[in-house]
Amino acid sequence: MKKLILFAVALALSFTAGSKTRVLLITGQDGSHWDEGSSQVLTKILENTGEFDVETDFLGWDADIDHFSPKFKDYGLIIINYGGKTWTEETRKAFENYVSGGGGVVFIHSSIIPMEDWPAYNEMTGLGAWNGRDEKWGPYLYIEDGKYVYDYTPGWAGHHGLQHHEIISTQAPEHPIMAGVPARWHHFKDEIYTKLRGPAKNIEVLATVNETGRDEPVMWTVSYGKGRIFVDVLGHCGNDPDMTYSMTCTGYQVTLIRGCEWAATGSVTYPVPSDFPTEKHYSLRRDFKAPETAE
Amino acid sequence: MGHKLIIAALLAAVCLPAAGQGGFTKTTREGDGEIPSEAVRKGYSVQKVILAQMDGDPQLEQVILFGHDKGHWPECDLFMAYYAIVGNHDKKVKYLSDEVVTENYNMKVEDRNLDGISELYYTYIKEGSFKTDPDGWHMKCSHLTDVIEFIPDSKTTKK
């Protein structure tokens, strides 16, 4: 009888482990951010849900990019938290095939900056910033009266001011990632990107900020072939000094988890918790997991 | 100049109230090119310029706040700052403050004692008082306010 119980427990445990989404987190080579800190936090946020098993591929400044060749197809989700050199043609092609074949990808914060010379990467991020991007990369995008406005005015891509608290507006309340999220919610202090521009193809804006009179995207999805992509430019992790406070925002963590679920599977199961921020009050999960009373 | 510079008061305070008369100061912005190089320290840039009568001479003075970022914490941003007083026409540097750490670029130039000469007020973090927990939260610090005023030799020094 004792052996039977042990067998049942082992079976249950293996099923649980097997049901987790296997995630590859690619990070490194971002001089303006604390890659290690943000990657540790991303891992905690996801693994604390019990839904994800995260492996990290850290590309340091001395990494040989010519030998960076992960097996994307071994993973249910790829998270890009990377700011460095453009990958080799072979790796780029493998990534394109992974995504177009139905793979899930999440781009975090400054990951919309690198690899501006890779057209498919720009299509996957939808919108990008800095690194010389201008009107040749595509239009600015904002929302006005519920409609997308593609602004082809010449100019540089990318701007942020001092970090600050921000009100986030939900723009696609019917989307699985945003369903149940308040229409407006208070995000804790962060570095807010605006003036983003890019191909903006097959894009759905999920959330915006209004810093300059325009509702500009901070979270969006992109369809690339059969692949699902979630882009979240919130979640700055500074290196001046090393700080992860922007990622303590409960709203950030919850939308990130839901975005990862959606990119990996096409559906969302993680609930909008009772400690989700409101328009008037921000909410923090400083240990990067849900409090016992929140679900 | 016939005047000497004193630091009229060095006050420990949490926050200096914005009380007092506005005097005859005028807010303006001017380019770096009009500021003498002796006033510019490496790594700093002009954040604010106020034109005011600071010493009783016929010409007005530029009161200049220089600053740069010093980092970001969950509950505040920090900046390095210093202050210069420069003759508006002769471009002589009449005063350069020490470099201080502050949570915001602040300066007030007001003639609060109504003697016809404006004073420079600025608040900053007392050296060594800024503390947080290991993760950068629960910031604590003490503030100081310096008051800079030119006092004519013939008058009694005020504190």
Side-chain angles (χ1 to χ4, degrees), chain B residues 19-93:
Chain B
Q21 299 296 316
F24 48 83
T25 60
K26 185 176 87 174
T27 301
T28 187
R29 284 185 178 277
E30 301 194 23
D32 285 333
E34 298 185 42
I35 294 170
S37 58
E38 312 92 90
V40 183
R41 292 173 179 158
K42 188 176 180 182
Y44 284 85
S45 57
V46 174
Q47 304 297 327
K48 192 174 182 182
V49 179
I50 293 177
L51 201 59
Q53 178 54 264
M54 298 299 291
D55 62 2
D57 281 350
Q59 72 168 334
L60 298 179
E61 281 71 39
Q62 290 178 318
V63 186
I64 308 166
L65 164 55
F66 292 90
H68 67 74
D69 281 3
K70 187 178 167 56
H72 308 281
W73 274 258
E75 294 151 325
C76 71
D77 296 316
L78 294 186
F79 306 92
M80 294 295 297
Y82 75 93
Y83 299 81
I85 299 175
V86 175
N88 191 41
H89 295 299
D90 62 17
K91 302 300 178 189
K92 284 185 178 175
V93 178

Side-chain angles (χ1 to χ4, degrees), chain A residues 99-116:
Chain A
V99 184
S100 62
V105 181
V106 172
F107 291 99
I108 303 294
H109 191 55
S110 54
S111 301
I112 63 167
I113 299 172
M115 302 198 275
E116 71 285 354

Side-chain angles (χ1 to χ4, degrees), chain B residues 107-150:
Chain B
M107 71 170 174
K108 289 185 181 297
V109 178
E110 298 172 349
D111 182 15
R112 294 184 186 178
N113 55 12
L114 301 177
D115 64 354
I117 298 172
S118 295
E119 308 91 54
L120 162 62
Y121 300 82
Y122 59 90
T123 298
Y124 55 98
I125 295 173
K126 183 180 179 182
E127 189 173 351
S129 72
F130 182 84
K131 291 182 174 63
T132 68
D133 68 17
D135 296 323
W137 297 78
H138 299 113
M139 184 267 281
K140 291 179 181 174
C141 65
S142 301
H143 294 88
L144 296 173
T145 297
D146 280 4
V147 183
I148 308 300
E149 183 178 18
F150 284 88

